[in-house]
Amino acid sequence: MKNFYEVDIKGYVEKLPVLPLPSGINIAFFNLHGNPPLTEHCGKELAKLVGDSEVLLTAESKGLQLTHVVARELNMPLYAVARKSKKLYMQDGVCVAYGTSITTGKKQEFYLSKHDVELIRGKKVAIIDDVISTGESEKGLVNLVEVAGGIVNKKLFVLAEGDAKLRQDIGYLASIPLL
């Protein structure tokens, strides 16, 4: 029998399975993949928080469909995607290294294509992602925006996990504890 944590995300109640991480911490696992109603709801709610941002940036992979919904709601024809591996078409883009995230347990890198660098340069950028916990991935995305010549305008998440809910520099729809 699985353990679940129930969260109310602006009127959408979701049961998140509680999963152990190798570090010994348990998390309430939030997964947008394969859940169109949840993704639509969260994307529409986040779109209300974007304000005067001119460009959206997300990290692959769970942020992709979420940011797609936000962009559609705001009539933004394009958004930038930070890749976690360098693709062949990204030879002339930029790369930043960042710390260890709670779910990967190892140092990572973000890559941005030249096209996305040009999309971001000189613009106010809203970072969109599913969950913020330790903030390591968020720091990497902020660094990527700065390296690309953009200005971080908003940092928006569906869920703030653990102490992330205490941060004043982010926006989020609901909070969940580390278990």
Side-chain angles (χ1 to χ4, degrees):
M1 183 175 181
K2 267 195 174 174
N3 226 357
F4 290 92
Y5 180 83
E6 190 171 278
V7 63
D8 184 331
I9 306 168
K10 299 282 184 191
Y12 192 110
V13 178
E14 186 72 7
K15 288 184 176 181
L16 308 178
V18 175
L19 302 176
L21 295 179
S23 65
I25 295 171
N26 289 329
I27 61 167
F29 180 62
F30 181 67
N31 187 9
L32 291 170
H33 290 316
N35 193 333
L38 178 60
T39 301
E40 285 288 324
H41 174 78
C42 294
K44 288 176 181 179
E45 290 296 323
L46 284 177
K48 296 174 186 177
L49 305 177
V50 169
D52 64 346
S53 300
E54 301 167 283
V55 177
L56 306 176
L57 170 68
T58 193
E60 65 177 0
S61 74
K62 288 193 278 182
L64 290 172
Q65 63 268 27
L66 178 65
T67 305
H68 176 91
V69 173
V70 175
R72 185 194 66 220
E73 290 299 304
L74 299 173
N75 293 312
M76 291 182 166
L78 299 170
Y79 59 89
V81 178
R83 301 293 209 128
K84 294 180 181 178
S85 62
K86 190 174 186 177
K87 308 300 179 193
L88 289 175
Y89 65 87
M90 302 177 92
Q91 299 308 311
D92 53 0
V94 298
C95 171
V96 298
Y98 64 98
T100 304
S101 78
I102 194 168
T103 52
T104 61
K106 60 181 181 176
K107 296 232 180 237
Q108 297 188 97
E109 294 178 318
F110 279 134
Y111 299 88
L112 203 59
S113 69
K114 181 179 179 185
H115 172 270
D116 285 350
V117 168
E118 291 171 4
L119 182 65
I120 287 173
R121 185 177 294 124
K123 303 274 181 40
K124 292 186 276 187
V125 179
I127 293 170
I128 308 287
D129 211 351
D130 60 337
V131 179
I132 183 167
S133 186
T134 64
E136 288 303 315
S137 298
E138 172 256 340
K139 287 177 194 170
L141 291 169
V142 166
N143 191 13
L144 197 61
V145 170
E146 292 168 352
V147 167
I151 303 134
V152 176
N153 191 44
K154 300 276 183 163
K155 297 180 275 186
L156 304 172
F157 305 87
V158 175
L159 298 175
E161 184 175 55
D163 288 342
K165 70 181 178 187
L166 304 174
R167 292 181 53 173
Q168 300 297 309
D169 64 324
I170 64 169
Y172 59 91
L173 303 179
S175 64
I176 56 175
L178 285 168
L179 303 167

